[in-house]
Amino acid sequence: MRFVALRGGVGRLEDDGTVAVLDVAYGGLGEFLAEGEPLAWLARAAVRSRLAYGEGLASPVRPGSAVWGVGLNYRSKQVATRRRVAEQPVLFLKAPGALTGGAIALPSQAPGCVDYEGEIAVVVGRHLHDAAPDVAVRAVIGVVAANDVTARDVMRTTGNPSLAKSFPGFGQFGAVVADPESIGGFAGIEVRTTVNGQLRQHDHGDGMILPVGELLALISRYTLLRPGDIVLTGTPAGTGDELGRYLAPGDVVEVGLGDLPPLCSRVVSSSLSDGQRQPLTAGGKK
């Protein structure tokens, strides 16, 4: 089951790549996900109309939902950076102001070290507080491609992940939310990132240091996770910081999970006005 966030509605991704617009009362997929209903509920909805994929795409993150992330959660990243795995993983919140959609705008305050981080993001479908890992993993109702954009120089100078990851446009999410089992289960999900068509990151969910259930359980020790909240599960090796190749205006970053349509984001200079940026919609090209 694969569903598409549309402006003002919800779609189902069909086998032929088109989108069936569903006859549901929800104003968007994020609104549905925040209800905590299983994706299977949408499979029974009637079809109102059909679209080509790429038309009217939106973000599946509902305004007001929390977006949590974790640092250094892939073994490949740990090996590539020669960093020690911390006894207490670094957890952070991505500010709502980062979830503006559209392009990745290089901030005028820190334009030189902006980096991509392709990730598997999971959508929480029920309330979790101090949950066991086996309970937490069953609370996930969907996965979505994410790009946890980061200003590396801000990270180094402040030591604060939330500041480095919360500039406008730094929270990029694909439009398609899928049942994890439909793309290989958590361990088998393939994540890959390309920049201008060149493969930079490639790994699978079983490369995580903390698996999904353990990660959600850890976060739930400190807070109440609610339906519709998003958890970024970490990024594998191959980021620009490792390669010394940061993002520049005109770059196009694609993050793909399995065979889902990729999240595609264009990089623009912050000196451009909103009307000049020509943003990409979530998960698709201009």
Side-chain angles (χ1 to χ4, degrees):
M1 293 176 289
R2 302 161 185 216
F3 296 94
V4 183
L6 301 172
R7 290 194 292 269
V10 179
R12 183 180 65 227
L13 187 62
E14 304 287 63
D15 291 340
D16 63 2
T18 61
V19 175
V21 181
L22 302 180
D23 188 14
V24 294
Y26 296 97
L29 184 55
E31 182 180 323
F32 170 81
L33 296 171
E35 290 291 318
E37 298 286 353
L39 288 176
W41 187 93
L42 289 175
R44 301 191 293 269
V47 176
R48 181 184 302 163
S49 60
R50 296 186 183 274
L51 298 171
Y53 182 81
E55 295 182 34
L57 299 181
S59 171
V61 184
R62 183 188 185 191
S65 293
V67 177
W68 284 91
V70 59
L72 194 59
N73 197 36
Y74 270 82
R75 287 183 287 274
S76 63
K77 180 79 169 174
Q78 188 268 328
V79 170
T81 59
R82 300 180 181 178
R83 290 161 58 190
R84 182 179 61 86
V85 177
E87 290 185 13
Q88 291 296 321
V90 174
L91 303 174
F92 61 87
L93 276 167
K94 207 169 184 80
L99 311 178
T100 55
I104 299 169
L106 303 179
S108 58
Q109 306 94 318
C113 298
V114 175
D115 202 359
Y116 54 87
E117 291 189 20
E119 306 204 14
I120 301 167
V122 299
V123 185
V124 177
R126 69 181 73 157
H127 289 86
L128 290 175
H129 180 57
D130 201 18
D134 61 329
V135 173
V137 75
R138 292 197 300 270
V140 174
I141 56 173
V143 295
V144 60
N147 186 354
D148 179 24
V149 185
T150 305
R152 297 293 184 188
D153 48 354
V154 174
M155 179 82 85
R156 284 188 280 267
T157 56
T158 69
N160 189 319
S162 291
L163 291 180
K165 296 169 178 285
S166 291
F167 289 100
F170 275 28
Q172 298 277 317
F173 290 91
V176 179
V177 175
D179 174 8
E181 295 305 316
S182 72
I183 52 174
F186 293 117
I189 295 175
E190 178 188 29
V191 57
R192 62 196 177 281
T193 307
T194 66
V195 179
N196 302 328
Q198 181 184 55
L199 184 65
R200 297 283 184 87
Q201 295 181 286
H202 185 217
D203 213 319
H204 293 78
D206 62 1
M208 293 181 194
I209 296 169
L210 276 180
V212 170
E214 292 183 27
L215 175 59
L216 268 63
L218 175 62
I219 296 171
S220 80
R221 291 181 195 170
Y222 304 103
T223 190
L224 173 67
L225 288 169
R226 304 172 303 166
D229 286 350
I230 306 286
V231 175
L232 302 162
T233 59
T235 198
T239 61
D241 200 47
E242 297 159 49
L243 304 173
R245 301 170 69 179
Y246 298 107
L247 296 175
D251 285 347
V252 175
V253 184
E254 292 193 355
V255 180
L257 301 186
D259 62 353
L260 299 182
L263 160 64
C264 183
S265 308
R266 187 177 300 279
V267 181
V268 300
S269 170
S270 61
S271 63
L272 297 179
S273 68
D274 289 341
Q276 292 173 306
R277 286 178 181 169
Q278 298 179 334
L280 301 173
T281 55
K285 300 181 179 179
K286 283 194 299 181

